[in-house]
Amino acid sequence: MSHMSPIPPHDLAAHLAEHDNKSMLRFITCGSVDDGKSTLIGRLLYDAKLIFEDQLANLGRVGAANGNEIDLALLLDGLEAEREQGITIDVAYRYFATSRRKFIVADTPGHEEYTRNMVTGASTADLAVILIDSRQGILQQTRRHSYIASLLGIRHVVLAVNKIDLVDFRQQVFDEIATDYLAFARELGFASIQPIPISARFGDNVISASVNTPWYKGLALLQYLETVDLDPPAKERPFRFPVQLVMRPNADFRGYAGQVASGHISVGDPVVVAKSGQRSTVKEIVTYAGSREAAGEGEAVTLVLSDEVDVSRGNLLVPPAAQPYVADQFQAHVIWFDASPMFPGRSYILRTETDNVSATVTTLKHQVNINSLVREAAKSLQMNEIGVCNISTQSPIAFDAYKDNRATGNFIFVDRVTNATVGAGMIDFPLRRADNVHWHSLEVNKGARSAMKNQRPAVLWFTGLSGSGKSTIANALDSILHARGKHTYLLDGDNVRHGLNRDLGFTDGDRVENIRRVAEVAKLMADAGLIVLVSFISPFRDERRMARELMEEGEFIEIFVDTPIDECARRDPKGLYRKALAGKIANFTGVSSPYEAPENPELHLQTVGQEPIGLALKIEEFLDQWMEEK
């Protein structure tokens, strides 16, 4: 039962028809911690009599148990952890309607660590209600959320200057905050910004004008939300159909299931498979309720094509006259979520609407200072920072620019180990190099070169702490293989830093780039048919995994040279541990920078009590067996 007047049964049909014809406004509430976002939406629903009576009764019981007044924020803070801590953690969605308009509101968290949740809520919103505590003014998180809202395509903003009662409803406070915000947001490209003085706790200017702010002549929040003019409908976006599943219940039926991301499609319309360029026409549009003649944006359907074409999950069906970009390199704005920073050169999983592909940030062009909106040089992105990056994917993906199509212009980065979402991106445009640079097919290939050498190419990747004996063992193995007439090459960390990588230091970012370059060189040498011995500390699992994925299946052999750090420090052939422990060397692996030991190496060599030549012979034996098996 609802906390509002019931509808007479004879008016129900007319009411439903009227309801269907109302416009829809999707909006979010955002801002800094404890600005009153959840309380504001709770107050709006309560004063507009849009709360169910059982919800209201539950709030009363909770308030009585705590000896407090009703806490309207609990209408949206539904998680137990949210109620215990008095904060918003996850995005809370609420649907409601008034006589003028339908609404979907996303109440988003204010804490920095939950910025990813704010991005989720903003990704489909038309308007943002940005709250500011009258006592605090504009804070860093206010600026961050405003910039993200702009980046995600939100065009309209309500600046809710909340807790105006705590500054005695003074107009001067409101005017100063509004002036400061308008100056900051001038470069963000919002179509409209409406400042409103509000007391979410007591309901001032929430659904009707407050007697406490006679100096404010504008509309109350709900009145404004009901009447704000959204952008006029743009020319309908081109048809985009991300294929989520190939339906093949029997030999006589093949359909492609998914949701229409934009545009519309009708039986008989021509379509193109975005990645391959294959053409066909729509033979049938199937739904759970039966076949139909057409489908539009947001509808889940199965398309049956007239021709047998190769379409798989991750591809797009599009119209021939309005095709998306298909490229493996593009520029994008990236919002970083993870506590571990983003480094150029590190490999992640990139996921779009339906596609899933390995990707690397090749260049971090700049970071955006959210306080000044100035572009700043940076080597990495820390948690909640925003930057512009060039991205390379292992295989081409189909996409639109985010400004043209939100659904097909966004992606997320996923950590390969934890499977956690570590970043989100909005694609700006493809890079010309993606069209200009093509892999040239060579007549003399890897097979021909390795056959001439009578060997199978391989990359033996030695990893371990400084002083573990990697280079000594690799050098001994190189001598053994050379004596047997094998064609080898040894890439050693110190030697490579004299030339190819002489411009790199020892920060985490430089280490990532160091390994990326060496892995690419090792790949070329393996393509030449060589057995490549790579001796690098390579402290991070992600980079070793990236190196493995560059090579052909079974070509990469990881060798963990496992020596306890105490033993490495005792050997200390270059005196590096002594300097690192004295604080004279920064970012030294095992001392001031982490080493992530391999979890499943092909060979695990424990060096204590062993001679290098004996360990090299053990690798030779493994290699001979590996060659026979292959």
Side-chain angles (χ1 to χ4, degrees), residues 563-591:
T563 306
I565 190 168
D566 291 343
E567 175 64 17
C568 292
R570 186 190 66 78
R571 296 174 183 175
D572 204 10
K574 306 170 189 174
L576 299 178
Y577 281 95
R578 184 173 64 256
K579 293 179 181 177
L581 292 169
K584 296 179 180 178
I585 299 179
N587 302 311
F588 190 80
T589 303
V591 178

PDB file of all heavy atoms in Angstrom, residues 563-591:
ATOM      1  N   THR A 563      66.028 -18.035  -5.022  1.00  0.00           N
ATOM      2  CA  THR A 563      67.090 -17.888  -4.020  1.00  0.00           C
ATOM      3  C   THR A 563      66.579 -16.981  -2.909  1.00  0.00           C
ATOM      4  O   THR A 563      66.093 -15.874  -3.209  1.00  0.00           O
ATOM      5  CB  THR A 563      68.354 -17.270  -4.645  1.00  0.00           C
ATOM      6  OG1 THR A 563      68.746 -18.046  -5.776  1.00  0.00           O
ATOM      7  CG2 THR A 563      69.489 -17.214  -3.634  1.00  0.00           C
ATOM      8  N   PRO A 564      66.642 -17.400  -1.633  1.00  0.00           N
ATOM      9  CA  PRO A 564      66.160 -16.548  -0.541  1.00  0.00           C
ATOM     10  C   PRO A 564      66.864 -15.200  -0.550  1.00  0.00           C
ATOM     11  O   PRO A 564      68.046 -15.088  -0.904  1.00  0.00           O
ATOM     12  CB  PRO A 564      66.506 -17.344   0.721  1.00  0.00           C
ATOM     13  CG  PRO A 564      66.615 -18.769   0.252  1.00  0.00           C
ATOM     14  CD  PRO A 564      67.138 -18.692  -1.145  1.00  0.00           C
ATOM     15  N   ILE A 565      66.138 -14.158  -0.156  1.00  0.00           N
ATOM     16  CA  ILE A 565      66.706 -12.814  -0.215  1.00  0.00           C
ATOM     17  C   ILE A 565      67.929 -12.676   0.684  1.00  0.00           C
ATOM     18  O   ILE A 565      68.873 -11.945   0.360  1.00  0.00           O
ATOM     19  CB  ILE A 565      65.638 -11.752   0.135  1.00  0.00           C
ATOM     20  CG1 ILE A 565      66.193 -10.349  -0.182  1.00  0.00           C
ATOM     21  CG2 ILE A 565      65.167 -11.884   1.573  1.00  0.00           C
ATOM     22  CD1 ILE A 565      65.131  -9.267  -0.137  1.00  0.00           C
ATOM     23  N   ASP A 566      67.958 -13.418   1.796  1.00  0.00           N
ATOM     24  CA  ASP A 566      69.138 -13.355   2.670  1.00  0.00           C
ATOM     25  C   ASP A 566      70.380 -13.867   1.951  1.00  0.00           C
ATOM     26  O   ASP A 566      71.481 -13.317   2.109  1.00  0.00           O
ATOM     27  CB  ASP A 566      68.896 -14.176   3.948  1.00  0.00           C
ATOM     28  CG  ASP A 566      67.847 -13.540   4.852  1.00  0.00           C
ATOM     29  OD1 ASP A 566      67.554 -12.335   4.661  1.00  0.00           O
ATOM     30  OD2 ASP A 566      67.315 -14.237   5.721  1.00  0.00           O
ATOM     31  N   GLU A 567      70.202 -14.932   1.164  1.00  0.00           N
ATOM     32  CA  GLU A 567      71.320 -15.483   0.405  1.00  0.00           C
ATOM     33  C   GLU A 567      71.739 -14.520  -0.703  1.00  0.00           C
ATOM     34  O   GLU A 567      72.934 -14.329  -0.963  1.00  0.00           O
ATOM     35  CB  GLU A 567      70.923 -16.840  -0.179  1.00  0.00           C
ATOM     36  CG  GLU A 567      71.959 -17.479  -1.095  1.00  0.00           C
ATOM     37  CD  GLU A 567      73.267 -17.821  -0.381  1.00  0.00           C
ATOM     38  OE1 GLU A 567      73.279 -17.866   0.878  1.00  0.00           O
ATOM     39  OE2 GLU A 567      74.276 -18.058  -1.077  1.00  0.00           O
ATOM     40  N   CYS A 568      70.746 -13.900  -1.362  1.00  0.00           N
ATOM     41  CA  CYS A 568      71.068 -12.912  -2.410  1.00  0.00           C
ATOM     42  C   CYS A 568      71.861 -11.748  -1.816  1.00  0.00           C
ATOM     43  O   CYS A 568      72.824 -11.263  -2.413  1.00  0.00           O
ATOM     44  CB  CYS A 568      69.780 -12.391  -3.047  1.00  0.00           C
ATOM     45  SG  CYS A 568      68.869 -13.605  -4.012  1.00  0.00           S
ATOM     46  N   ALA A 569      71.411 -11.291  -0.637  1.00  0.00           N
ATOM     47  CA  ALA A 569      72.104 -10.176   0.008  1.00  0.00           C
ATOM     48  C   ALA A 569      73.510 -10.578   0.444  1.00  0.00           C
ATOM     49  O   ALA A 569      74.434  -9.758   0.436  1.00  0.00           O
ATOM     50  CB  ALA A 569      71.284  -9.692   1.203  1.00  0.00           C
ATOM     51  N   ARG A 570      73.678 -11.865   0.843  1.00  0.00           N
ATOM     52  CA  ARG A 570      75.014 -12.321   1.254  1.00  0.00           C
ATOM     53  C   ARG A 570      75.954 -12.348   0.058  1.00  0.00           C
ATOM     54  O   ARG A 570      77.113 -11.954   0.156  1.00  0.00           O
ATOM     55  CB  ARG A 570      74.903 -13.715   1.865  1.00  0.00           C
ATOM     56  CG  ARG A 570      76.216 -14.240   2.455  1.00  0.00           C
ATOM     57  CD  ARG A 570      76.123 -15.702   2.821  1.00  0.00           C
ATOM     58  NE  ARG A 570      75.950 -16.542   1.634  1.00  0.00           N
ATOM     59  CZ  ARG A 570      76.947 -16.870   0.815  1.00  0.00           C
ATOM     60  NH1 ARG A 570      78.184 -16.415   1.039  1.00  0.00           N
ATOM     61  NH2 ARG A 570      76.725 -17.648  -0.226  1.00  0.00           N
ATOM     62  N   ARG A 571      75.418 -12.811  -1.099  1.00  0.00           N
ATOM     63  CA  ARG A 571      76.253 -12.839  -2.304  1.00  0.00           C
ATOM     64  C   ARG A 571      76.567 -11.414  -2.767  1.00  0.00           C
ATOM     65  O   ARG A 571      77.715 -11.072  -3.002  1.00  0.00           O
ATOM     66  CB  ARG A 571      75.534 -13.583  -3.433  1.00  0.00           C
ATOM     67  CG  ARG A 571      75.266 -15.045  -3.151  1.00  0.00           C
ATOM     68  CD  ARG A 571      74.416 -15.651  -4.275  1.00  0.00           C
ATOM     69  NE  ARG A 571      74.064 -17.030  -4.029  1.00  0.00           N
ATOM     70  CZ  ARG A 571      73.240 -17.743  -4.812  1.00  0.00           C
ATOM     71  NH1 ARG A 571      72.731 -17.166  -5.903  1.00  0.00           N
ATOM     72  NH2 ARG A 571      72.958 -18.990  -4.527  1.00  0.00           N
ATOM     73  N   ASP A 572      75.513 -10.617  -2.941  1.00  0.00           N
ATOM     74  CA  ASP A 572      75.580  -9.192  -3.308  1.00  0.00           C
ATOM     75  C   ASP A 572      76.761  -8.859  -4.215  1.00  0.00           C
ATOM     76  O   ASP A 572      77.638  -8.057  -3.854  1.00  0.00           O
ATOM     77  CB  ASP A 572      75.664  -8.358  -2.020  1.00  0.00           C
ATOM     78  CG  ASP A 572      75.163  -6.924  -2.248  1.00  0.00           C
ATOM     79  OD1 ASP A 572      74.598  -6.659  -3.332  1.00  0.00           O
ATOM     80  OD2 ASP A 572      75.334  -6.092  -1.348  1.00  0.00           O
ATOM     81  N   PRO A 573      76.816  -9.459  -5.424  1.00  0.00           N
ATOM     82  CA  PRO A 573      78.002  -9.292  -6.278  1.00  0.00           C
ATOM     83  C   PRO A 573      78.266  -7.845  -6.692  1.00  0.00           C
ATOM     84  O   PRO A 573      79.401  -7.489  -6.999  1.00  0.00           O
ATOM     85  CB  PRO A 573      77.672 -10.163  -7.498  1.00  0.00           C
ATOM     86  CG  PRO A 573      76.171 -10.250  -7.509  1.00  0.00           C
ATOM     87  CD  PRO A 573      75.757 -10.243  -6.072  1.00  0.00           C
ATOM     88  N   LYS A 574      77.220  -7.009  -6.699  1.00  0.00           N
ATOM     89  CA  LYS A 574      77.399  -5.617  -7.136  1.00  0.00           C
ATOM     90  C   LYS A 574      77.283  -4.630  -5.979  1.00  0.00           C
ATOM     91  O   LYS A 574      77.325  -3.415  -6.202  1.00  0.00           O
ATOM     92  CB  LYS A 574      76.350  -5.272  -8.202  1.00  0.00           C
ATOM     93  CG  LYS A 574      76.339  -6.228  -9.382  1.00  0.00           C
ATOM     94  CD  LYS A 574      75.134  -5.987 -10.267  1.00  0.00           C
ATOM     95  CE  LYS A 574      74.985  -7.072 -11.323  1.00  0.00           C
ATOM     96  NZ  LYS A 574      73.739  -6.920 -12.101  1.00  0.00           N
ATOM     97  N   GLY A 575      77.119  -5.127  -4.766  1.00  0.00           N
ATOM     98  CA  GLY A 575      76.983  -4.237  -3.616  1.00  0.00           C
ATOM     99  C   GLY A 575      75.661  -3.488  -3.580  1.00  0.00           C
ATOM    100  O   GLY A 575      75.535  -2.474  -2.875  1.00  0.00           O
ATOM    101  N   LEU A 576      74.660  -3.989  -4.318  1.00  0.00           N
ATOM    102  CA  LEU A 576      73.394  -3.258  -4.426  1.00  0.00           C
ATOM    103  C   LEU A 576      72.534  -3.402  -3.177  1.00  0.00           C
ATOM    104  O   LEU A 576      71.860  -2.450  -2.771  1.00  0.00           O
ATOM    105  CB  LEU A 576      72.619  -3.758  -5.657  1.00  0.00           C
ATOM    106  CG  LEU A 576      73.326  -3.576  -7.007  1.00  0.00           C
ATOM    107  CD1 LEU A 576      72.493  -4.154  -8.137  1.00  0.00           C
ATOM    108  CD2 LEU A 576      73.601  -2.093  -7.255  1.00  0.00           C
ATOM    109  N   TYR A 577      72.525  -4.602  -2.591  1.00  0.00           N
ATOM    110  CA  TYR A 577      71.692  -4.795  -1.388  1.00  0.00           C
ATOM    111  C   TYR A 577      72.176  -3.899  -0.252  1.00  0.00           C
ATOM    112  O   TYR A 577      71.379  -3.327   0.491  1.00  0.00           O
ATOM    113  CB  TYR A 577      71.702  -6.260  -0.955  1.00  0.00           C
ATOM    114  CG  TYR A 577      70.786  -7.129  -1.773  1.00  0.00           C
ATOM    115  CD1 TYR A 577      71.264  -7.840  -2.868  1.00  0.00           C
ATOM    116  CD2 TYR A 577      69.429  -7.238  -1.456  1.00  0.00           C
ATOM    117  CE1 TYR A 577      70.424  -8.637  -3.630  1.00  0.00           C
ATOM    118  CE2 TYR A 577      68.579  -8.031  -2.210  1.00  0.00           C
ATOM    119  CZ  TYR A 577      69.084  -8.734  -3.293  1.00  0.00           C
ATOM    120  OH  TYR A 577      68.243  -9.508  -4.044  1.00  0.00           O
ATOM    121  N   ARG A 578      73.474  -3.788  -0.118  1.00  0.00           N
ATOM    122  CA  ARG A 578      74.034  -2.943   0.940  1.00  0.00           C
ATOM    123  C   ARG A 578      73.570  -1.498   0.766  1.00  0.00           C
ATOM    124  O   ARG A 578      73.149  -0.842   1.725  1.00  0.00           O
ATOM    125  CB  ARG A 578      75.561  -3.033   0.917  1.00  0.00           C
ATOM    126  CG  ARG A 578      76.234  -2.263   2.054  1.00  0.00           C
ATOM    127  CD  ARG A 578      77.728  -2.515   2.104  1.00  0.00           C
ATOM    128  NE  ARG A 578      78.409  -2.026   0.892  1.00  0.00           N
ATOM    129  CZ  ARG A 578      78.846  -2.810  -0.092  1.00  0.00           C
ATOM    130  NH1 ARG A 578      78.669  -4.124  -0.030  1.00  0.00           N
ATOM    131  NH2 ARG A 578      79.462  -2.289  -1.145  1.00  0.00           N
ATOM    132  N   LYS A 579      73.596  -1.009  -0.461  1.00  0.00           N
ATOM    133  CA  LYS A 579      73.155   0.366  -0.718  1.00  0.00           C
ATOM    134  C   LYS A 579      71.644   0.505  -0.528  1.00  0.00           C
ATOM    135  O   LYS A 579      71.171   1.505   0.018  1.00  0.00           O
ATOM    136  CB  LYS A 579      73.536   0.773  -2.137  1.00  0.00           C
ATOM    137  CG  LYS A 579      75.040   0.884  -2.365  1.00  0.00           C
ATOM    138  CD  LYS A 579      75.327   1.264  -3.817  1.00  0.00           C
ATOM    139  CE  LYS A 579      76.832   1.363  -4.066  1.00  0.00           C
ATOM    140  NZ  LYS A 579      77.134   1.672  -5.491  1.00  0.00           N
ATOM    141  N   ALA A 580      70.882  -0.513  -0.976  1.00  0.00           N
ATOM    142  CA  ALA A 580      69.424  -0.437  -0.854  1.00  0.00           C
ATOM    143  C   ALA A 580      68.988  -0.444   0.598  1.00  0.00           C
ATOM    144  O   ALA A 580      68.103   0.319   1.013  1.00  0.00           O
ATOM    145  CB  ALA A 580      68.777  -1.596  -1.606  1.00  0.00           C
ATOM    146  N   LEU A 581      69.618  -1.305   1.403  1.00  0.00           N
ATOM    147  CA  LEU A 581      69.274  -1.376   2.830  1.00  0.00           C
ATOM    148  C   LEU A 581      69.683  -0.108   3.568  1.00  0.00           C
ATOM    149  O   LEU A 581      69.109   0.236   4.596  1.00  0.00           O
ATOM    150  CB  LEU A 581      69.938  -2.608   3.455  1.00  0.00           C
ATOM    151  CG  LEU A 581      69.379  -3.964   2.974  1.00  0.00           C
ATOM    152  CD1 LEU A 581      70.265  -5.119   3.444  1.00  0.00           C
ATOM    153  CD2 LEU A 581      67.948  -4.150   3.490  1.00  0.00           C
ATOM    154  N   ALA A 582      70.657   0.592   3.015  1.00  0.00           N
ATOM    155  CA  ALA A 582      71.091   1.865   3.616  1.00  0.00           C
ATOM    156  C   ALA A 582      70.248   3.036   3.112  1.00  0.00           C
ATOM    157  O   ALA A 582      70.482   4.179   3.493  1.00  0.00           O
ATOM    158  CB  ALA A 582      72.572   2.101   3.320  1.00  0.00           C
ATOM    159  N   GLY A 583      69.301   2.741   2.239  1.00  0.00           N
ATOM    160  CA  GLY A 583      68.430   3.795   1.723  1.00  0.00           C
ATOM    161  C   GLY A 583      69.023   4.588   0.579  1.00  0.00           C
ATOM    162  O   GLY A 583      68.492   5.637   0.201  1.00  0.00           O
ATOM    163  N   LYS A 584      70.117   4.090  -0.002  1.00  0.00           N
ATOM    164  CA  LYS A 584      70.781   4.834  -1.070  1.00  0.00           C
ATOM    165  C   LYS A 584      70.244   4.484  -2.459  1.00  0.00           C
ATOM    166  O   LYS A 584      70.560   5.158  -3.433  1.00  0.00           O
ATOM    167  CB  LYS A 584      72.295   4.578  -1.021  1.00  0.00           C
ATOM    168  CG  LYS A 584      72.949   5.095   0.257  1.00  0.00           C
ATOM    169  CD  LYS A 584      74.447   4.801   0.263  1.00  0.00           C
ATOM    170  CE  LYS A 584      75.102   5.325   1.534  1.00  0.00           C
ATOM    171  NZ  LYS A 584      76.552   5.007   1.557  1.00  0.00           N
ATOM    172  N   ILE A 585      69.466   3.383  -2.566  1.00  0.00           N
ATOM    173  CA  ILE A 585      68.858   2.994  -3.837  1.00  0.00           C
ATOM    174  C   ILE A 585      67.357   2.864  -3.617  1.00  0.00           C
ATOM    175  O   ILE A 585      66.909   2.086  -2.762  1.00  0.00           O
ATOM    176  CB  ILE A 585      69.413   1.651  -4.355  1.00  0.00           C
ATOM    177  CG1 ILE A 585      70.931   1.745  -4.594  1.00  0.00           C
ATOM    178  CG2 ILE A 585      68.703   1.251  -5.646  1.00  0.00           C
ATOM    179  CD1 ILE A 585      71.539   0.447  -5.089  1.00  0.00           C
ATOM    180  N   ALA A 586      66.583   3.625  -4.380  1.00  0.00           N
ATOM    181  CA  ALA A 586      65.122   3.555  -4.268  1.00  0.00           C
ATOM    182  C   ALA A 586      64.589   2.479  -5.207  1.00  0.00           C
ATOM    183  O   ALA A 586      65.228   2.106  -6.184  1.00  0.00           O
ATOM    184  CB  ALA A 586      64.501   4.905  -4.620  1.00  0.00           C
ATOM    185  N   ASN A 587      63.408   1.965  -4.889  1.00  0.00           N
ATOM    186  CA  ASN A 587      62.694   1.000  -5.744  1.00  0.00           C
ATOM    187  C   ASN A 587      63.546  -0.237  -6.038  1.00  0.00           C
ATOM    188  O   ASN A 587      63.586  -0.720  -7.174  1.00  0.00           O
ATOM    189  CB  ASN A 587      62.269   1.658  -7.062  1.00  0.00           C
ATOM    190  CG  ASN A 587      61.392   2.878  -6.852  1.00  0.00           C
ATOM    191  OD1 ASN A 587      60.425   2.828  -6.106  1.00  0.00           O
ATOM    192  ND2 ASN A 587      61.739   3.982  -7.507  1.00  0.00           N
ATOM    193  N   PHE A 588      64.214  -0.755  -5.033  1.00  0.00           N
ATOM    194  CA  PHE A 588      65.048  -1.941  -5.221  1.00  0.00           C
ATOM    195  C   PHE A 588      64.224  -3.176  -4.908  1.00  0.00           C
ATOM    196  O   PHE A 588      63.679  -3.328  -3.815  1.00  0.00           O
ATOM    197  CB  PHE A 588      66.286  -1.886  -4.323  1.00  0.00           C
ATOM    198  CG  PHE A 588      67.300  -2.954  -4.630  1.00  0.00           C
ATOM    199  CD1 PHE A 588      68.178  -2.796  -5.693  1.00  0.00           C
ATOM    200  CD2 PHE A 588      67.358  -4.118  -3.881  1.00  0.00           C
ATOM    201  CE1 PHE A 588      69.112  -3.781  -5.997  1.00  0.00           C
ATOM    202  CE2 PHE A 588      68.285  -5.108  -4.167  1.00  0.00           C
ATOM    203  CZ  PHE A 588      69.161  -4.937  -5.232  1.00  0.00           C
ATOM    204  N   THR A 589      64.139  -4.094  -5.881  1.00  0.00           N
ATOM    205  CA  THR A 589      63.288  -5.272  -5.741  1.00  0.00           C
ATOM    206  C   THR A 589      63.697  -6.114  -4.542  1.00  0.00           C
ATOM    207  O   THR A 589      64.875  -6.447  -4.369  1.00  0.00           O
ATOM    208  CB  THR A 589      63.354  -6.137  -7.019  1.00  0.00           C
ATOM    209  OG1 THR A 589      62.962  -5.336  -8.126  1.00  0.00           O
ATOM    210  CG2 THR A 589      62.428  -7.336  -6.897  1.00  0.00           C
ATOM    211  N   GLY A 590      62.713  -6.470  -3.738  1.00  0.00           N
ATOM    212  CA  GLY A 590      62.937  -7.285  -2.556  1.00  0.00           C
ATOM    213  C   GLY A 590      63.186  -6.471  -1.313  1.00  0.00           C
ATOM    214  O   GLY A 590      63.062  -6.978  -0.194  1.00  0.00           O
ATOM    215  N   VAL A 591      63.560  -5.192  -1.475  1.00  0.00           N
ATOM    216  CA  VAL A 591      63.825  -4.318  -0.331  1.00  0.00           C
ATOM    217  C   VAL A 591      62.770  -3.222  -0.260  1.00  0.00           C
ATOM    218  O   VAL A 591      61.993  -3.138   0.684  1.00  0.00           O
ATOM    219  CB  VAL A 591      65.243  -3.715  -0.399  1.00  0.00           C
ATOM    220  CG1 VAL A 591      65.480  -2.757   0.779  1.00  0.00           C
ATOM    221  CG2 VAL A 591      66.294  -4.818  -0.390  1.00  0.00           C
TER     222      VAL A 591
END
